[in-house]
Amino acid sequence: MNQSGLPTPPPTSATSTTSPAQSSSNAAGQSASDVSLASIVATITSTSSPSQLNQYLRSCASKDVREVLLASILPGSQDPLTLLNARDHTLGMLYILSARLHTVASDKPLWHHIESFCRDFIPEHARVAPDRVTLLATGIRQFAEVEGNPKLAIAPLSDLLAKYPPTLSHLTTIHPIFLTICVATRHFSAAIPVLAHSITTIDLSLSDLTYYDNLVYHYAGGIALAALKNWSAAEELFEICASSPGTAASAIQMEALKKLVLVQLIYRGKTSPPSKYMHPILMRLFKATPYASFTNAYPLQRDYLRTIVENEQQLFTNERTLGLITQALDRAPRWAIKKLTTTYLTLHLSDIGREVGISDENRVKSLILSMIECSEISAELSADGTVSFSDPPVKFEKTDVDRVLSQAQQQDALLVRLEKEMERNKEYLTKAVKSKDDAAWGPAMDEDGAFGDRPSGNWAEDMSFA
């Protein structure tokens, strides 16, 4: 022990006069019997280089031995986590916490150690070991589930996700873990700060991501936003999930497609053409489901819609789409009335009721007045029950135009940045040149830029609002 109460560092630690390369070699050469938790903790507290410490922790013993050591307790039943803090020993705590959470026979860390680490760790140090960050995130989720309180994981994972990536637009393995917990515990609003940032960057050096992580994140995000009735954003995330290119269609993409269609019926009253990137087998499979029959009958054939819901209620319940189905069915009369406005200039309440499947004129009147109040239609209701439809007035405010222009500028700048990154990607350039040669599209790509000069920047400044 040294004067601070910590174990004395072993000769292979950063306190020796050997170089980092020699230190790593020495650590790798140690036998399992030469390594103890005390020596590991001593190295953690005395090594200032995160990369050197990461090399030591990876090579100090075989994987199984190392994880058991990291999950153990110091002599005298002293918890090594009490000797460390997240600000000064981020990497060491990351290894110990992730090992303790995944080793069956270990004493699990006290929850306040997990919370303090996720709140105070140094992101740049944690990024040296992205696989351990994934282990920590999955361990936190499992720990909370074993405790019988999954929502316990939301706060620390939220802190971890807020700090670890350079921006929340960088997809990490923490994203799908956090979103699935928010959905499973129905804490949908906790996901809003994360979902407010569109994913624009995937950096495999930042997280050991898989194709499935991308699908799960966007699918869970779509569920959360649909539950919050943010239909436009939910539609976008479901579409990203359903149309993400892959070697084969995934079951989760099929579920995303079903929910995408239902969200579109609720939000738009009709479906949009499928993305060209969507795997063709998904649409073929979808056409054989009750969802396709429901979509084809929507919104005018209300009796048939009810029949589908009654006959397939168990299926919709099992697939957790009954809520969306019910909301779509409830909104069917509104969309049916909107369809009538494109055909008729005037209609009596009784005629409208007959067209949309509502026999009670008072209910039709209430529905029409509600739609007028919500600006869903532009119409006037006379005393004799005649409804006169008209085109809605077009209104533009300067603030609306400025907001749209600002968003367009931001998107333009983002596209320019992404194109420049793609231009530096040798693998992409090789494939792009090969595709051009194979298809005889013309001369080879200019070495100075795969996309050529592209206007950007302040192009919107020339536009004015009169």
Side-chain angles (χ1 to χ4, degrees), residues 58-74:
R58 287 188 182 280
S59 59
C60 63
S62 65
K63 179 180 177 181
D64 293 340
V65 172
R66 178 191 68 209
E67 295 305 304
V68 171
L69 283 173
L70 289 170
S72 61
I73 301 297
L74 289 168

Side-chain angles (χ1 to χ4, degrees), residues 261-276:
V261 167
L262 294 177
V263 165
Q264 288 177 340
L265 293 181
I266 295 170
Y267 181 54
R268 302 182 185 279
K270 60 182 180 180
T271 57
S272 301
S275 168
K276 64 180 181 180

Side-chain angles (χ1 to χ4, degrees), residues 323-365:
L324 292 174
I325 286 281
T326 303
Q327 291 183 74
L329 187 60
D330 290 342
R331 287 193 61 83
R334 292 176 176 267
W335 292 118
I337 291 173
K338 290 201 73 169
K339 277 181 173 289
L340 295 177
T341 64
T342 63
T343 306
Y344 300 96
L345 291 176
T346 60
L347 274 177
H348 193 271
L349 288 174
S350 59
D351 297 325
I352 295 175
R354 187 165 50 253
E355 290 286 342
V356 302
I358 301 177
S359 57
D360 187 349
E361 272 193 31
N362 290 328
R363 284 185 58 198
V364 177
K365 180 180 179 180

Side-chain angles (χ1 to χ4, degrees), residues 267-293:
Y267 181 54
R268 302 182 185 279
K270 60 182 180 180
T271 57
S272 301
S275 168
K276 64 180 181 180
Y277 301 108
M278 189 176 295
H279 200 289
I281 196 172
L282 287 175
M283 289 307 301
R284 290 202 297 270
L285 292 174
F286 179 81
K287 290 177 181 178
T289 67
Y291 299 93
S293 301

Side-chain angles (χ1 to χ4, degrees), residues 168 178-179 188 190-198 217-218 220-222 224-225 228 233 237:
L168 286 176
F178 176 67
L179 260 294
F188 306 115
I192 292 178
V194 177
L195 295 172
H197 299 264
S198 299
Y217 170 71
H218 287 99
L225 292 168
L228 296 170
L237 293 194

Side-chain angles (χ1 to χ4, degrees), residues 111 140-142 144 149-158 178 181:
W111 193 250
I140 291 172
R141 178 185 60 193
Q142 293 170 6
N149 187 13
K151 67 180 181 182
L152 194 66
I154 291 178
L157 285 177
S158 177
F178 176 67
I181 292 176

Side-chain angles (χ1 to χ4, degrees), residues 168-433:
L168 286 176
S169 293
H170 286 70
L171 184 64
T172 69
T173 51
I174 312 169
H175 281 76
I177 295 171
F178 176 67
L179 260 294
T180 52
I181 292 176
C182 290
V183 170
T185 59
R186 302 190 65 81
H187 283 64
F188 306 115
S189 58
I192 292 178
V194 177
L195 295 172
H197 299 264
S198 299
I199 298 299
T200 59
T201 306
I202 294 179
D203 185 352
L204 296 182
S205 67
L206 185 67
S207 263
D208 45 336
L209 283 163
T210 65
Y211 173 69
Y212 190 68
D213 290 324
N214 170 63
L215 299 183
V216 170
Y217 170 71
H218 287 99
Y219 177 68
I223 293 176
L225 292 168
L228 296 170
K229 300 188 186 302
N230 188 341
W231 304 119
S232 60
E235 177 188 19
E236 180 182 358
L237 293 194
F238 282 137
E239 185 171 20
I240 291 174
C241 177
S243 59
S244 291
T247 54
S250 169
I252 195 174
Q253 290 182 295
M254 187 63 188
E255 297 307 307
L257 176 57
K258 294 172 183 176
K259 292 178 173 63
L260 169 64
V261 167
L262 294 177
V263 165
Q264 288 177 340
L265 293 181
I266 295 170
Y267 181 54
R268 302 182 185 279
K270 60 182 180 180
T271 57
S272 301
S275 168
K276 64 180 181 180
Y277 301 108
M278 189 176 295
H279 200 289
I281 196 172
L282 287 175
M283 289 307 301
R284 290 202 297 270
L285 292 174
F286 179 81
K287 290 177 181 178
T289 67
Y291 299 93
S293 301
F294 187 89
T295 301
N296 293 334
Y298 197 87
L300 295 175
Q301 303 176 44
R302 200 154 181 248
D303 290 338
Y304 182 46
L305 292 174
R306 289 198 193 95
T307 301
I308 295 174
V309 175
E310 290 172 2
N311 293 341
E312 305 293 344
Q313 184 168 357
Q314 190 58 52
L315 172 68
F316 296 147
T317 301
N318 293 341
E319 296 187 349
R320 299 181 181 274
T321 55
L322 185 59
L324 292 174
I325 286 281
T326 303
Q327 291 183 74
L329 187 60
D330 290 342
R331 287 193 61 83
R334 292 176 176 267
W335 292 118
I337 291 173
K338 290 201 73 169
K339 277 181 173 289
L340 295 177
T341 64
T342 63
T343 306
Y344 300 96
L345 291 176
T346 60
L347 274 177
H348 193 271
L349 288 174
S350 59
D351 297 325
I352 295 175
R354 187 165 50 253
E355 290 286 342
V356 302
I358 301 177
S359 57
D360 187 349
E361 272 193 31
N362 290 328
R363 284 185 58 198
V364 177
K365 180 180 179 180
S366 298
L367 182 57
I368 292 291
L369 292 175
S370 172
M371 295 182 69
I372 293 174
E373 185 179 353
C374 296
S375 300
E376 293 182 32
I377 59 173
S378 179
E380 291 183 357
L381 178 60
S382 63
D384 63 355
T386 300
V387 182
S388 301
F389 301 113
S390 60
D391 293 331
V394 179
K395 295 181 179 179
F396 291 105
E397 299 290 340
K398 184 179 185 304
T399 55
D400 296 331
V401 176
D402 290 342
R403 183 182 68 256
V404 171
L405 289 177
S406 176
Q407 292 173 349
Q409 285 180 309
Q410 293 174 9
Q411 291 297 317
D412 180 71
L414 175 61
L415 287 173
V416 170
R417 180 176 66 81
L418 292 176
E419 287 179 355
K420 289 181 178 179
E421 290 179 1
M422 292 176 71
E423 288 177 9
R424 293 194 294 268
N425 188 312
K426 292 183 179 179
E427 182 180 357
Y428 170 79
L429 291 177
T430 301
K431 290 182 178 179
V433 172

